[in-house]
């Protein structure tokens, strides 16, 4: 099929994606409480961020001020409108609404901030697409309850969700519950457990068990929120958010193929529960074999059935590969191998546009639900010229190649795709490293890793390129 000249379906949601803690700043303003993102220091390429016990005045925390979207959002949203955005994905910082997470009443100043910000989007016909928990939760819930290791947090999350669903029921249609809930599959990484679940493992604890228990509570919380959301506004579309990294067998050796299949099951069972409303049998068998005494009640199982998601939101940056290890259980921290057919970004992320078409078809065949690509992009070092231009042809190439595969999935394979909101449409603080220098944006922000800079915004070459993609509804992409 000749793709050039053909447009995406009418109403396709082109836009961009960010998360509250990575761009807002204003970490202690207007009653906001401390979030888990506020106790993470800056790292570097290959060096993890430290998680400190509260705020250490000798450390630098890049999320505290981020790019000051909290005060500059009208200017930023105007730039998104200039690019032609139809959708803007961001998250609500739980700590602006419930500073500690366990209060009786929400913080009105926090609610008002999102009211005003959503109004600014709607003024330009941009739909807010909202994640409830994007890698953050009130730090108080971590200190007092141990984060998602506690069942009590389900109620606090559901209360938070209910408050914002009611408040924004006429402003927001598309919601997602937990960002990249399946990243904690890499449970040996303290970063993954902390950002997904606010968990700091204690010496001698079994991280794998901790991860499964926390994920279970999150899935129950998500399902309860979905059910309540639909009662508040039956038009709500509430999705999950999965980090999609297809896992390929390194060779066609049957044992490599079988192992890759188990790796996919291990990384994506979260989506099975979100979409199907029940646990896959292989995982229940795994809990039994490992003697994991899971706290899963009959009421929980009922909730899971009642709160199935409306669509699958997912991020896509890279694919993984694995080979037979002589055992069936996949350990994400150890079992990945380099795919010799794919080049990696400067941060080691294996760039694989064809994998996006594969992923879209995989999700489509498995769940028969609408899909929404809510993150995709290239983290790269950008150079700004003396006349304030950024010639980011590498980013344009990355996006062009991914959109081309996405187009094949939609037009040739018949996948039902709602939209495409590339990550970090404006430069922001990287989640994994806390760096500003790992830039994804189509808008450059003058800020360095140490927080210095004028915070001025400049349009990159990719800004004009994406503006044209949206204007032509993707028809010039071949
Ligand atoms: C996803 C997250 O993992 O990837 C975002 O949902 C994150 O929060 C993005 O920023 C890119 O990762 P990083 O570490 O390069 O910012």
């Amino acid at each position: 099929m000749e793709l050039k000249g053909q447009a995406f379906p009418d109403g396709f949601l082109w836009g961009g994606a960010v998360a509250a803690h990575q761009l807002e700043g204003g970490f202690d303003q207007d009653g906001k409480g401390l979030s888990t993102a506020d106790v993470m220091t800056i790292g570097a390429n290959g060096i993890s961020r430290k998680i400190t016990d509260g705020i250490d005045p000798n450390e630098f925390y890049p999320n505290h001020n981020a790019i000051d979207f909290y005060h500059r959002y009208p200017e930023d949203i105007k730039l998104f409108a200039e690019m032609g955005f139809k959708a803007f994905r961001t998250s609500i910082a739980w700590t602006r609404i419930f500073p500690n997470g366990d209060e009786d009443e929400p913080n009105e100043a926090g609610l008002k901030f999102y009211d005003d910000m959503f109004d600014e989007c709607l003024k330009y016909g941009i739909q807010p697409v909202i994640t409830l928990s994007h890698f953050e939760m009130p730090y108080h819930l971590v200190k007092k309850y141990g984060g998602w290791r506690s069942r009590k947090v389900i109620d606090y999350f559901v209360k938070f969700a209910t408050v914002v669903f009611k408040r924004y029921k006429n402003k927001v249609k598309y919601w997602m519950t937990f960002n990249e809930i399946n990243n904690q599959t890499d449970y040996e990484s303290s970063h993954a457990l902390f950002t997904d679940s606010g968990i700091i493992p204690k010496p001698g604890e079994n991280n794998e068990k901790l991860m499964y228990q926390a994920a279970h509570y999150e899935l129950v919380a998500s399902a309860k929120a979905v059910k309540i959301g639909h009662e508040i506004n039956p038009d709500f579309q509430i999705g999950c958010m999965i980090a999609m990294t297809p896992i390929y067998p390194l060779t066609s050796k049957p044992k490599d193929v079988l192992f890759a299949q188990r790796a996919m099951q291990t990384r994506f069972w979260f989506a099975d529960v979100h979409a199907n409303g029940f646990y896959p049998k292989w995982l229940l068998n795994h809990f039994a074999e490992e003697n994991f005494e899971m706290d899963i009640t009959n009421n929980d199982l009922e909730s899971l059935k009642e709160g199935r998601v409306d669509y699958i939101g997912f991020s896509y940056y890279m694919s993984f590969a694995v080979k037979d290890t002589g055992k069936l259980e996949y350990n994400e921290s150890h079992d990945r191998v380099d795919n010799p057919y794919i080049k990696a970004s400067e941060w080691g992320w294996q760039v694989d546009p064809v994998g996006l078409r594969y992923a879209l078809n995989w999700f489509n065949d498995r769940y028969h639900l609408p899909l929404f690509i809510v993150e995709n992009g290239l983290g790269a070092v950008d150079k700004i010229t003396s006349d304030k231009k950024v010639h980011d042809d590498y980013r344009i190439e990355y996006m062009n190649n991914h959109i081309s595969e996405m187009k094949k999935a939609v037009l040739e394979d018949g996948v039902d795709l709602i939209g495409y909101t590339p990550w970090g449409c404006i430069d922001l603080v990287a989640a994994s490293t806390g760096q500003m220098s790992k830039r994804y944006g189509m808008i450059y922000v003058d800020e360095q890793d140490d927080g210095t800079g004028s915070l001025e915004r400049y349009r990159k070459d990719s800004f004009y390129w994406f503006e044209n993609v949206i204007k032509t509804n993707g028809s010039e992409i071949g």
Side-chain angles (χ1 to χ4, degrees):
M1 183 191 275
E2 177 57 47
L3 291 173
K4 246 194 175 136
Q6 300 210 55
F8 278 80
D10 284 347
F12 189 75
L13 293 176
W14 296 101
V18 299
H21 64 102
Q22 291 175 257
L23 91 166
E24 284 178 4
F27 84 107
D28 58 356
Q29 298 213 339
D30 299 326
K32 181 182 173 297
L34 207 60
S35 99
T36 45
D38 295 325
V39 298
M40 296 182 73
T41 66
I42 187 155
N45 193 352
I47 302 176
S48 305
R49 306 176 72 173
K50 264 188 292 179
I51 299 161
T52 55
D53 186 7
I55 293 182
D56 175 345
N58 300 314
E59 295 284 358
F60 173 60
Y61 299 94
N63 300 65
H64 285 190
N65 297 316
I67 62 161
D68 196 29
F69 180 79
Y70 191 68
H71 297 107
R72 293 170 180 250
Y73 70 84
E75 176 196 349
D76 293 338
I77 292 170
K78 194 164 177 227
L79 286 167
F80 301 154
E82 189 181 321
M83 257 190 283
F85 279 18
K86 316 284 180 221
F88 173 52
R89 173 182 177 232
T90 186
S91 58
I92 294 179
W94 188 343
T95 46
R96 289 203 193 281
I97 313 302
F98 287 101
N100 284 329
D102 58 0
E103 293 90 345
D104 289 334
E105 294 301 324
N107 171 32
E108 177 55 31
L111 288 165
K112 181 163 183 325
F113 168 70
Y114 291 105
D115 255 326
D116 295 346
M117 198 259 279
F118 296 160
D119 285 345
E120 198 66 22
C121 291
L122 295 167
K123 177 170 119 186
Y124 297 105
I126 300 174
Q127 287 211 44
V129 173
I130 299 304
T131 316
L132 291 171
S133 175
H134 188 125
F135 287 174
E136 59 172 333
M137 67 189 301
Y139 187 58
H140 172 77
L141 296 183
V142 171
K143 294 300 277 184
K144 186 156 177 199
Y145 304 96
W148 281 99
R149 56 170 86 224
S150 165
R151 175 177 279 281
K152 275 184 94 65
V153 177
I154 298 177
D155 293 338
Y156 298 132
F157 176 84
V158 172
K159 182 162 185 188
F160 160 59
T162 307
V163 165
V164 297
F165 283 157
K166 283 192 179 152
R167 178 80 170 217
Y168 309 120
K169 74 175 189 176
N170 298 318
K171 297 187 183 183
V172 178
K173 173 177 174 183
Y174 289 99
W175 299 87
M176 275 165 278
T177 51
F178 291 93
N179 183 64
E180 293 191 338
I181 187 171
N182 61 325
N183 258 8
Q184 52 196 324
T185 304
D186 187 8
Y187 54 79
E188 287 187 23
S189 142
S190 53
H191 181 270
L193 268 185
F194 190 67
T195 52
D196 266 345
S197 294
I199 287 183
I200 302 171
K202 298 175 190 139
E205 276 189 306
N206 183 324
N207 284 20
E208 187 188 6
K209 158 93 192 324
L210 272 179
M211 180 275 286
Y212 280 121
Q213 188 62 67
H216 173 71
Y217 293 148
E218 285 155 14
L219 289 162
V220 171
S222 170
K224 284 177 177 251
V226 169
K227 184 170 179 235
I228 290 171
H230 287 149
E231 284 160 11
I232 292 170
N233 184 347
D235 290 337
F236 276 175
Q237 291 292 300
I238 311 175
C240 54
M241 198 310 203
I242 301 292
M244 169 39 96
T245 51
I247 307 178
Y248 305 136
L250 189 62
T251 76
S252 53
K253 269 200 314 215
K255 285 199 170 171
D256 284 356
V257 176
L258 188 70
F259 188 64
Q261 183 182 54
R262 176 50 59 97
M264 289 285 276
Q265 289 171 318
T266 307
R267 196 161 220 285
F268 300 111
W269 68 270
F270 304 79
D272 294 347
V273 177
H274 270 306
N276 300 334
F278 58 87
Y279 272 84
K281 191 74 172 79
W282 72 265
L283 184 54
L284 297 174
N285 290 347
H286 177 65
F287 294 158
E289 273 158 30
E290 296 293 325
N291 293 318
F292 289 163
E293 282 179 19
M294 300 286 293
D295 173 25
I296 300 179
T297 66
N298 286 336
N299 281 344
D300 292 347
L301 297 177
E302 205 44 45
S303 296
L304 294 178
K305 265 193 245 156
E306 290 172 353
R308 282 174 287 169
V309 292
D310 299 311
Y311 68 94
I312 308 281
F314 71 96
S315 61
Y316 181 82
Y317 293 93
M318 58 190 145
S319 58
F320 296 164
V322 291
K323 62 177 185 183
D324 176 33
T325 57
K327 56 180 177 48
L328 190 55
E329 300 314 329
Y330 167 66
N331 180 321
E332 187 146 306
S333 310
H334 303 293
D335 294 342
R336 286 165 47 190
V337 295
D338 282 342
N339 183 336
Y341 302 101
I342 296 175
K343 286 203 209 103
S345 78
E346 219 176 305
W347 275 264
W349 292 19
Q350 295 213 314
V351 178
D352 175 17
V354 173
L356 178 56
R357 182 177 184 180
Y358 173 88
L360 283 160
N361 276 280
W362 187 86
F363 273 137
N364 189 53
D365 292 348
R366 199 169 172 98
Y367 304 121
H368 307 286
L369 284 175
L371 303 175
F372 197 162
I373 302 171
V374 294
E375 286 187 31
N376 171 239
L378 178 70
V381 173
D382 289 334
K383 289 207 172 55
I384 185 150
T385 60
S386 54
D387 57 349
K388 308 297 181 200
K389 304 264 188 297
V390 178
H391 301 304
D392 56 343
D393 44 306
Y394 38 89
R395 183 167 294 108
I396 293 174
E397 188 190 347
Y398 178 102
M399 288 174 69
N400 184 82
N401 293 345
H402 283 79
I403 295 174
S404 170
E405 294 301 324
M406 171 174 117
K407 195 168 179 182
K408 290 175 199 158
V410 173
L411 299 184
E412 293 184 8
D413 307 335
V415 167
D416 180 7
L417 183 64
I418 301 171
Y420 175 71
T421 56
W423 176 251
C425 44
I426 181 164
D427 290 346
L428 38 60
V429 175
S432 54
T433 60
Q435 294 170 295
M436 274 303 298
S437 54
K438 189 182 186 190
R439 296 175 185 273
Y440 288 85
M442 293 168 275
I443 299 165
Y444 184 89
V445 178
D446 178 19
E447 185 178 358
Q448 313 314 316
D449 285 345
D450 61 3
T452 58
S454 68
L455 292 178
E456 284 300 306
R457 278 59 167 155
Y458 300 101
R459 296 164 186 81
K460 302 184 192 177
D461 287 358
S462 54
F463 180 102
Y464 302 105
W465 175 83
F466 197 48
E467 182 186 355
N468 185 57
V469 170
I470 298 178
K471 194 163 74 200
T472 54
N473 199 10
S475 61
E476 290 178 11
I477 306 258

